[in-house]
Amino acid sequence: VCSHRIRSCSSIRFIKSKYVCVYDKSALKFSHQQRLFRTSAVSCGQIVQFKLSDIGEGITEVTVKEWYIKEGDSVSQFDSICEVQSDKASVTITSRYDGIIRKLHYSIDDIAFVGKPLVDIEIDASKGVASEEDVVETPPMSHEEHTHQEIKGHKTLATPAVRRLAMENNIKLSEIVGTGKDNRILKEDILNYLAKQTGAILPPSPKAEIVPPLPKTEAVPAAPKDKARKIPVPVSRPIAFSGKDKTEPVTGFQKAMVKTMSAALKIPHFGYSDEIDLTQLVQLREELKPLAEIRGIKLSFMPFFIKAASLGLLQYPILNASLDENCQNVTYKASHNIGVAMDTEQGLIVPNVKNVQVCSVFDIAVELNRLQSLGSAGQLGTSDLTGGTFTLSNIGTIGGTYTKPVILPPEVAIGALGKIQALPRFNGKGEVVKAQIMNVSWSADHRIIDGATMARFSNLWKSYLENPASMLLDLK
């Protein structure tokens, strides 16, 4: 009976009855336990459902934009699983487990819901299952996914993936200023730090680069200064007439725009417009462009506009504030996180440059290059698209002079920049001269900002741009 029982428990070995007869009861029990242990060690892997966790910002559903793996692929912890897009940002989901992908629950462009499985992963049952479900490389994160490190008496918050990135680049987390919630360090903070550090030590070599210039910049040759006026070229797109109406759901960034603009209509907008003579700034930029290109950065006018706005906000902090829903409290923001409206294939997005008040013009140019590259690729993270305190929209890159920008809640002001035109103007001697003129249109929340404040801020911003050298007096 004992021999039969042991054979039924394990097919790995066969124990003859004559050996069993010499064992006492305790020995037989020990042998039986050993065989159960050996059997479990060679059992098949365990299938776990890898679920989409809460990625914050009230997001309940996302669109699957790209799979980085397929069924049968092996993955390790922190490997990218897929890219999803919410109505706020694109997010990369990374694996929490080591194992083999057994099933993809969604196809490209399917809607995935928070708390529902993304993939099934077969893991080694002997290693157990981690308590966390998945890791999102862009904030905000749940508290269970944070890891803490005690540095100089305070805790530094960062995900394992961010810590690994810092370790690979020999970066001390204590040197990084986190821009996430509770000052947690994000992947973008590491990349920004790398870009700034590289820019500070790069030798003046044409091969040196911090962020590669946009592909369009490399492909388009420099045009002569005396070129004729540009003629708009229509975009060539295939036109298909189906003869039937088509209904599509509002998703992605369009969905975010619906929510934001609906809230913006509740704000009483005050408009103010002016023109700026950028003749001196145009000359200055032409002198600085080659120096920036040596460092691998495309220098546009936008970094100057942004920095001048930040200097103006130091004098008029009410424009860098927010008003609560009940209109009872005004919060003055310490950081100047200035947003830049961008037109992309995914729609209108407004990433922002963080902490402009402590950035140089070149620092801002580096960050703009990064944001523009990610925006064109549709890979901007949540941290890039949230936390803005003031916005500039450069509508002049497409055309037009004046517009009526709409405030992005909870911000209280926004500026729209027109195209730069060569126009005749009178100088101080009454002579007609060629001037580089740009028009600007401001909108402000008239509940807390009056016209005089907006006009004075605009005049200060204008003075910085018309006399770029004056900015040196207030730079910190």
Side-chain angles (χ1 to χ4, degrees), residues 405-472:
V406 180
I407 299 170
L408 300 176
E411 299 173 20
V412 295
I414 184 175
L417 314 174
K419 62 183 179 181
I420 300 176
Q421 308 176 83
L423 297 173
R425 289 295 184 268
F426 290 99
N427 62 13
K429 299 179 181 180
E431 302 169 339
V432 177
V433 295
K434 176 183 177 182
Q436 301 291 336
I437 302 298
M438 181 188 74
N439 302 110
V440 60
S441 303
W442 302 102
S443 289
D445 188 337
H446 213 355
R447 294 174 296 183
I448 59 173
I449 299 174
D450 55 63
T453 300
M454 189 74 254
R456 291 189 180 101
F457 168 82
S458 180
N459 289 338
L460 179 58
W461 181 77
K462 174 180 178 178
S463 68
Y464 284 133
L465 297 178
E466 292 189 338
N467 304 281
S470 66
M471 295 175 64
L472 296 175

Side-chain angles (χ1 to χ4, degrees), residues 158-418:
T159 64
V162 170
R163 293 187 182 279
R164 185 177 67 170
L165 180 62
M167 181 180 63
E168 291 174 350
N169 291 278
N170 297 320
I171 297 176
K172 295 181 180 179
L173 291 179
S174 58
E175 300 176 354
I176 307 296
V177 178
T179 59
K181 186 178 180 181
D182 299 326
N183 296 322
R184 72 176 60 93
I185 298 175
L186 312 176
K187 179 180 178 182
E188 290 77 9
D189 298 329
I190 301 293
L191 297 177
N192 292 343
Y193 180 83
L194 279 174
K196 293 178 181 179
Q197 289 298 106
T198 309
I201 62 176
L202 277 178
S205 169
K207 296 182 180 179
E209 62 176 20
I210 302 172
V211 179
L214 296 178
K216 295 181 180 179
T217 304
E218 297 176 353
V220 180
K225 295 183 179 180
D226 58 346
K227 63 179 181 179
R229 186 176 61 178
K230 292 182 180 179
I231 300 177
V233 179
V235 179
S236 177
R237 293 181 180 176
I239 300 176
F241 294 98
S242 62
K244 298 180 180 179
D245 295 341
K246 182 173 66 173
T247 301
E248 294 180 348
V250 177
T251 60
F253 294 125
Q254 282 187 331
K255 193 171 184 178
M257 188 163 61
V258 169
K259 296 178 181 178
T260 304
M261 294 299 101
S262 297
L265 288 179
K266 301 176 182 178
I267 300 174
H269 284 54
F270 166 79
Y272 179 83
S273 299
D274 201 356
E275 72 172 31
I276 320 294
D277 186 347
L278 298 180
T279 304
Q280 292 187 36
L281 182 61
V282 170
Q283 296 174 354
L284 176 63
R285 174 177 171 267
E286 288 299 320
E287 296 175 2
L288 298 179
K289 275 179 62 178
L291 299 178
E293 289 174 357
I294 288 176
R295 300 185 183 186
I297 295 300
K298 176 185 176 182
L299 181 63
S300 64
F301 290 103
M302 204 62 189
F304 298 96
F305 300 153
I306 291 175
K307 188 60 184 180
S310 178
L311 294 175
L313 293 175
L314 293 173
Q315 302 295 325
Y316 299 94
I318 186 63
L319 296 173
N320 195 59
S322 63
L323 186 65
D324 65 4
E325 294 182 0
N326 297 324
C327 301
Q328 298 297 317
N329 299 290
V330 178
T331 302
Y332 294 86
K333 303 294 185 178
S335 298
H336 296 172
N337 299 338
I338 299 183
V340 181
M342 294 183 181
D343 178 39
T344 68
E345 293 182 358
Q346 292 79 28
L348 176 66
I349 57 176
V350 189
N352 59 83
V353 181
K354 299 289 194 299
N355 298 309
V356 176
Q357 76 278 3
V358 294
C359 293
S360 67
V361 172
F362 182 76
D363 291 336
I364 299 170
V366 171
E367 181 66 0
L368 279 179
N369 276 235
R370 185 186 72 86
L371 294 175
Q372 288 167 348
S373 297
L374 293 178
S376 299
Q379 297 178 351
L380 285 168
T382 306
S383 62
D384 295 323
L385 296 169
T386 57
T389 61
F390 186 87
T391 299
L392 292 176
S393 176
N394 191 6
I395 194 67
T397 56
I398 300 176
T401 53
Y402 290 100
T403 184
K404 184 181 179 182
V406 180
I407 299 170
L408 300 176
E411 299 173 20
V412 295
I414 184 175
L417 314 174

Side-chain angles (χ1 to χ4, degrees), residues 33-45:
Q33 289 177 338
Q34 268 196 323
R35 296 183 187 284
L36 287 177
F37 175 77
R38 291 172 62 87
T39 303
S40 63
V42 297
S43 63
C44 296

